[in-house]
């Protein structure tokens, strides 16, 4: 399966007004892709399109709530209307509620599923006919490590991400059976420093946080651009995510114990926040149309991501390291050992 170079692609980025989506749209445009950006926040989309165009890129925007299939379908149709085709669909839109399960209402739980799971389903439904007509393309769905391992206080979000993984596995095999060269990728970030924890509804009594450490949104955007050119099944972002993946496979009970010890205090900040404070669960929330969140001081680099995106450099470094050791050994006299 071969995908087009990014500078020849038409890309739809859904959930683009802030965080990973905003960073991803900026990077696609900077590398020459024609971009359609979508989210509920009109102000965020307008500022994003201005930023892309001021840097010499090409972008158009369309506001949409991904819980409504007709609005999602309009995003794909917009790409074809403006640019004549669609090559890559990147779906990031998500929301959540941080609370114990018994504090969450049926309407709140359903809304998270509607946005974070059904929105992803609608995205694939809207994009697939256009990708099939082109004869190739990429569906890139931004899941989470919570699709591999659920976290307490986030049961709706974890449920949505687990559901997404099941949906993508089924869809991938169906496309393989039809011999249609469309890449289906699940990108699973660890905790990323975006405004997500400013947006979500919380019933913890304080501003919520992810379980540190955090990673920079650019790491996820780099992964998305990579899989847009290189067909990939799953892509975990963040060293901690890869460690968690191994631990969950080896011993779910051990991960239960670790989360029991750290997850409840680690998802609370000292900053008070009322249950009635504004959030983006049902309506867009103004003031956070930016890439970065509030936890830059907890952000760390990821060696495994660097190695995955720079394999030739990593291999060359390993070879040089071995060569240096051999050279040093050659100069050591036997009586020095």
């Amino acid at each position: 399966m071969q995908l087009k170079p990014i500078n020849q692609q038409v890309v739809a980025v859904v959930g683009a007004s802030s965080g990973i989506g905003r960073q991803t749209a900026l990077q696609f445009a900077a590398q020459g892709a024609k971009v359609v950006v979508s989210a509920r926040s009109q102000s965020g989309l307008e500022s994003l399109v201005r930023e892309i165009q001021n840097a010499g890129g090409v972008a158009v925007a369309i506001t949409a709530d991904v819980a409504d299939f007709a609005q999602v379908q309009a995003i794909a149709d917009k790409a074809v209307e403006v640019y004549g085709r669609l090559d890559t669909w990147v779906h990031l839109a998500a929301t959540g509620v941080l609370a114990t399960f018994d504090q969450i209402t049926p309407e709140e739980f359903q809304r998270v599923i509607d946005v974070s799971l059904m929105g992803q389903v609608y995205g694939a439904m809207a994009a697939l006919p256009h990708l099939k007509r082109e004869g190739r393309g990429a569906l890139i769905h931004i899941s989470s490590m919570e699709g591999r391992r659920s976290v307490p206080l986030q049961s709706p979000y974890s449920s949505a991400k687990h559901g997404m993984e099941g949906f993508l596995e089924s869809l991938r095999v169906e496309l393989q059976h039809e011999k249609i060269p469309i890449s289906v990728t699940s990108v699973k970030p660890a905790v990323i420093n975006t405004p997500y924890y400013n947006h979500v509804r919380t019933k913890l009594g304080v501003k919520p946080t992810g379980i540190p450490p955090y990673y920079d949104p650019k790491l996820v955007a780099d992964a998305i651009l990579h899989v847009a050119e290189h067909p990939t099944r799953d892509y975990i972002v963040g060293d901690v995510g890869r460690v968690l993946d191994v631990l969950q496979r080896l011993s779910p009970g051990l991960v239960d114990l670790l989360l029991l010890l750290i997850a409840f205090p680690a998802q609370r900040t000292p900053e008070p926040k009322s249950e009635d404070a504004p959030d983006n669960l049902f309506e867009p929330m103004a003031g956070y149309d930016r890439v970065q969140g509030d936890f830059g001081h907890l952000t760390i680099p990821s060696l495994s991501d660097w190695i995955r995106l720079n394999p030739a450099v990593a291999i060359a470094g390993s070879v040089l390291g071995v060569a240096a050791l051999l050279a040093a050994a050659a100069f050591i006299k036997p009586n020095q050992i």
Side-chain angles (χ1 to χ4, degrees):
M1 186 187 303
Q2 188 168 359
L3 300 173
K4 292 179 182 179
I6 285 173
N7 63 7
Q8 297 176 22
Q9 292 190 19
V10 173
V11 181
V13 181
V14 184
S17 60
S18 67
I20 298 166
R22 192 178 186 95
Q23 179 67 35
T24 298
L26 290 168
Q27 290 185 211
F28 267 117
Q31 293 197 24
K34 296 179 176 67
V35 182
V36 177
V37 294
S38 183
R40 290 180 298 168
S41 172
Q42 185 173 350
S43 63
L45 293 177
E46 290 173 351
S47 66
L48 174 58
V49 169
R50 283 197 303 270
E51 188 173 351
I52 289 173
Q53 292 176 341
N54 289 342
V58 179
V60 295
I62 177 170
T63 56
D65 185 331
V66 298
D68 182 333
F69 174 67
Q71 294 185 45
V72 179
Q73 193 170 39
I75 303 168
D77 292 344
K78 183 77 169 180
V80 176
E81 174 192 339
V82 175
Y83 302 125
R85 67 180 194 278
L86 176 64
D87 300 303
T88 297
W89 181 273
V90 183
H91 202 110
L92 303 104
T95 189
V97 179
L98 269 83
T100 58
F101 173 71
D102 59 3
Q103 291 179 301
I104 300 170
T105 68
E107 294 78 16
E108 290 168 337
F109 205 108
Q110 183 67 56
R111 176 62 178 174
V112 176
I113 297 299
D114 288 344
V115 172
S116 304
L117 172 57
M118 293 309 300
Q120 297 272 357
V121 172
Y122 294 158
M125 284 181 173
L128 265 177
H130 300 294
L131 300 183
K132 287 182 176 181
R133 186 169 56 249
E134 289 302 308
R136 62 175 168 173
L139 289 170
I140 303 172
H141 294 261
I142 312 310
S143 181
S144 166
M145 280 310 298
E146 290 190 47
R148 189 62 58 83
R149 169 68 216 201
S150 295
V151 173
L153 304 180
Q154 298 198 46
S155 58
Y157 185 84
S158 292
S159 298
K161 296 303 184 180
H162 271 74
M164 185 196 309
E165 295 300 324
F167 158 62
L168 294 179
E169 287 179 355
S170 179
L171 174 62
R172 186 181 294 114
V173 176
E174 288 178 9
L175 292 172
Q176 290 171 351
H177 176 72
E178 295 178 54
K179 295 181 169 48
I180 299 176
I182 295 173
S183 173
V184 179
T185 302
S186 170
V187 177
K188 300 177 180 65
V191 179
I192 308 298
N193 182 35
T194 73
Y196 176 80
Y197 292 100
N198 301 95
H199 287 158
V200 293
R201 180 165 294 186
T202 177
K203 300 185 180 184
L204 304 180
V206 295
K207 177 181 173 180
T209 172
I211 302 172
Y214 281 78
Y215 295 98
D216 193 281
K218 188 176 185 302
L219 277 182
V220 190
D222 289 343
I224 292 168
L225 268 70
H226 177 78
V227 303
E229 289 186 313
H230 305 91
T232 305
R233 179 190 179 93
D234 296 286
Y235 196 118
I236 294 173
V237 179
D239 293 335
V240 171
R242 292 184 171 93
V243 171
L244 177 61
D245 181 50
V246 172
L247 288 177
Q248 177 66 14
R249 292 175 189 273
L250 291 176
S251 177
L254 175 60
V255 181
D256 287 349
L257 179 59
L258 291 173
L259 290 174
L260 187 61
L261 292 172
I262 68 171
F264 291 89
Q267 293 185 87
R268 290 174 164 90
T269 69
E271 181 181 333
K273 186 170 184 178
S274 167
E275 182 178 327
D276 298 323
D279 60 61
N280 76 346
L281 186 60
F282 291 97
E283 300 293 337
M285 183 178 174
Y288 294 99
D289 297 324
R290 61 177 193 251
V291 171
Q292 298 287 338
D294 297 340
F295 300 99
H297 60 294
L298 299 175
T299 300
I300 64 172
S302 174
L303 177 61
S304 60
D305 284 273
W306 184 87
I307 291 172
R308 181 159 187 177
L309 295 177
N310 300 275
V313 177
I315 292 170
S318 299
V319 170
L320 288 174
V322 172
L325 288 173
L326 292 174
F331 283 95
I332 296 175
K333 298 176 182 179
N335 60 6
Q336 292 178 312
I337 299 177

